[in-house]
Amino acid sequence: MMPGDSGVDQTPAATARLDADSAEWLRVLADAGPRRDAALARLHELLVRIARGEARRRGPRLQLAGPELDDLAHQAAADALIAITGKLGQFRGESRFTTWAYKFVIFEVSAKIGRHFWRHPSVPFDAEDWDRLPGRFAFDPAQEAEWRDLLAALRRAVDEELTARQRRVFVAIVLNGVPLDALVIEMAANRNAIYKTLFDARRKLRGALAANGYLPDDRSRCS
Amino acid sequence: MTGRSELDRFLRTDPRDVGCAQAMEMLHIYAELAAAGDPVQARYPGIAAHLRACGPCGDDFDGLLAALRDEAT
């Protein structure tokens, strides 16, 4: 199955029975006036807390801290609140309302971190630094004689088997270490489209390497 | 050889992988069940396969799960 081409393994019921807290959230958010305002303020407070926790969890990897991290969390919470209130009709009660809402703020943190990458990019996304590849996959420099041919074959397959778009995505993510969410912004795409492009590239490259004896051929093993 | 197996692991694709759109759509359900100890990997193998292979979606899942677990303590 190709990513995004077919359904989930088990589709939940269109509308599940709401728990009492979730029903109350929906009721007050659909209301007007002070009750709704109070609910929005409470939801925003929850979203800021979740966004701060998530930004802190990812912060060390991104060298984000202090006011910058807090600012990112507040922006994520504000944008998530807009997304949530705009999609209330899509909540089907398959989880608690707050779990559904937290998902949006986690996505917003991810997206903002993707944008943050381009403020201090370590490499141009389309540079081709093949020397990084051995380190990327933990090849032992002392055993270069054993893996030199494999990486040369991989490079040939990248050149000969991939489409221009697949090659661009592979180079950015694998050779240059550009985070997928950052590439989404650079290529004005969405996460699913970039992932599918990389998925197809991975499958083609593995097929080429297996066909030439550089990696195990699963088809012959199964027959 | 570590490098060869690492490269092989990266290039392998799982035909059950549902992709980012489906995984993101279901993430709140999957995470809530996982937080409750439900065997989600068996129940939703296509999402489990995707979360293993996709760094950003896997990270979102870890973050949502951490938020739910923090809330429960």
Side-chain angles (χ1 to χ4, degrees), chain A residues 116-135:
Chain A
H116 177 82
F117 175 84
W118 294 112
R119 290 190 196 169
H120 312 285
S122 51
V123 288
F125 88 100
D126 53 355
E128 284 195 30
D129 189 356
W130 286 90
D131 292 339
R132 290 167 61 112
L133 206 58

Side-chain angles (χ1 to χ4, degrees), chain A residues 52-73:
Chain A
R52 275 201 183 117
E54 182 60 1
R56 245 182 262 124
R57 192 180 73 83
R58 301 190 191 202
R61 276 179 284 161
L62 309 159
Q63 297 169 332
L64 254 177
E68 203 176 15
L69 190 144
D70 209 45
D71 188 43
L72 185 147

Side-chain angles (χ1 to χ4, degrees), chain A residues 159-171:
Chain A
D159 286 340
E160 294 169 7
E161 304 289 337
L162 302 188
T163 64
R165 183 178 173 83
Q166 288 167 349
R167 182 187 164 88
R168 192 175 180 206
V169 167
F170 182 89
V171 165

Side-chain angles (χ1 to χ4, degrees), chain A residues 69-167:
Chain A
L69 190 144
D70 209 45
D71 188 43
L72 185 147
H74 272 94
Q75 285 179 32
D79 289 349
L81 189 63
I82 293 168
I84 291 161
T85 51
K87 292 181 178 178
L88 276 181
Q90 295 176 21
F91 176 64
R92 298 192 297 259
E94 298 145 332
S95 71
R96 285 181 294 137
F97 173 79
T98 47
T99 305
W100 179 75
Y102 295 166
K103 178 176 81 165
F104 287 95
V105 82
I106 298 282
F107 289 163
E108 288 294 340
V109 169
S110 273
K112 280 163 182 44
I113 285 172
R115 284 189 203 104
H116 177 82
F117 175 84
W118 294 112
R119 290 190 196 169
H120 312 285
S122 51
V123 288
F125 88 100
D126 53 355
E128 284 195 30
D129 189 356
W130 286 90
D131 292 339
R132 290 167 61 112
L133 206 58
R136 163 82 167 75
F137 293 107
F139 281 99
D140 182 355
Q143 296 180 319
E144 183 177 350
E146 294 178 34
W147 49 256
R148 194 190 305 120
D149 287 351
L150 168 64
L151 294 195
L154 175 64
R155 186 169 183 171
R156 266 197 312 279
V158 167
D159 286 340
E160 294 169 7
E161 304 289 337
L162 302 188
T163 64
R165 183 178 173 83
Q166 288 167 349
R167 182 187 164 88

Side-chain angles (χ1 to χ4, degrees), chain B residues 24-50:
Chain B
M24 291 167 81
E25 178 66 30
M26 294 284 291
L27 199 66
H28 57 297
I29 302 165
Y30 189 91
E32 193 165 285
L33 288 170
D38 188 278
V40 280
Q41 297 195 1
R43 191 163 169 176
Y44 297 114
I47 295 178
H50 181 72

